[in-house]
Amino acid sequence: MAQDQDRIRISFEQVRQLAERPLLRCGISREHADAMVDAVSLAEADDAKSHGLYRILGCVEAVRSGKVDPGARPEVVPTSGAVVRIDAKGGFALHPLRVGRPLLAEKAKQFGIAALAVNNCYHFSALWADIEPLAEQGLVALSCTIGAYNVALAGGSTPAFGTNPFAFAFPRGTGRTPFVFDLSSSVVAKGEIELRRRAGESLPPGWAVDSQGAPTTSPEEALKGAILPFGGHKGAALGLMVELLAGPLIGDLRSAEAFTADPKDAGPLRGGYLMLAIDPGHFAGGEGKLDAADAWLTSLAEQHRPARLPGTRRHAARRRSMAEGVLVSRPLHDQLLELC
Ligand code: NDP
């Protein structure tokens, strides 16, 4: 176990144990814990720290406050056609998504395109982990959900919508890592600002405004004010689209409504989640076009260095973590051990 002052290197299996013990200890059911451990450990290994082990703290808080039902049993709501609906019954989102994903894949293969809506859930993790399994089985996937109600409109100074992440995954053939991007509608996810606050670091300029609408580099002031949308009005438009798709479209809350109803513990907001799956086999592309797309992505990565494709940093970090172990924040490691 290699160590430095601020970080500790542990095996992937130890990361999983570090995530699992506090979840089970606070009463989260085995099914929920399994899905949560998978997502959080993989994010830690992928060096996506804002949605890694640190999220366990908020999940435990959300159970302790009574907000999230730790043993909620997701219910598949009867539907027809290419729509799958799941009522998460006020539990975490990852177990319901695990229940719904095979049903979604089945319908996508049957109809060419299908949608999965999960209602009344608490989603706290990175979206790529939800859709990569679909691309690994040859499907194109998109997903979105509402995030923390902290993001201003372009030119605005107070929150108007959530950090609202949106993810896309495209298959690259058997045994190949899919093309995946996953981004919040804000300049950064709220978790990144919280991590900077914990580390006593200031924010880069252009991330946030304070409660008076003035630009700030203070994480504390940013959390009282608003995070800016990425790319100005373009990111704001994407954030509004996500808000409509994962909220009103599927009969669920907008982030402002979820924020108002929230007891303000450290956990995620209650809300909805929308995932789409597309089977390329139903469209004109066919295997040849998909192989050509794969070759095109490879050539882009090779010919445009030092530019890179989204997902490559994360997947490289995963390979490194699996071979050498995962570097984990020492204070967080110790805090999670105490939670056990
Ligand atoms: P980033 O800005 O870090 O990254 C967004 C995407 O862009 C990633 O796919 C990333 O790939 C890619 N990327 C980053 N830098 C480059 C580059 N230089 N060249 C090419 N591609 C690049 O993510 P965000 O801060 O916006 O979001 C972080 C996470 O937060 C997401 O996983 C999101 O799902 C999650 N989130 C979850 C919420 C929830 O409620 N569940 C709410 C809000 C956010 P790579 O990973 O390889 O760097």
Side-chain angles (χ1 to χ4, degrees), residues 51 123-128 145-147 163 165 180-184 188-189 308-314:
H51 290 79
H123 194 278
F124 65 89
S125 48
L127 266 56
W128 52 259
T145 187
I146 59 161
T163 49
V180 184
F181 73 75
D182 173 18
L183 34 93
S184 51
V188 282
R308 67 171 176 89
L309 296 177
T312 48
R313 177 204 62 85
R314 202 167 50 69

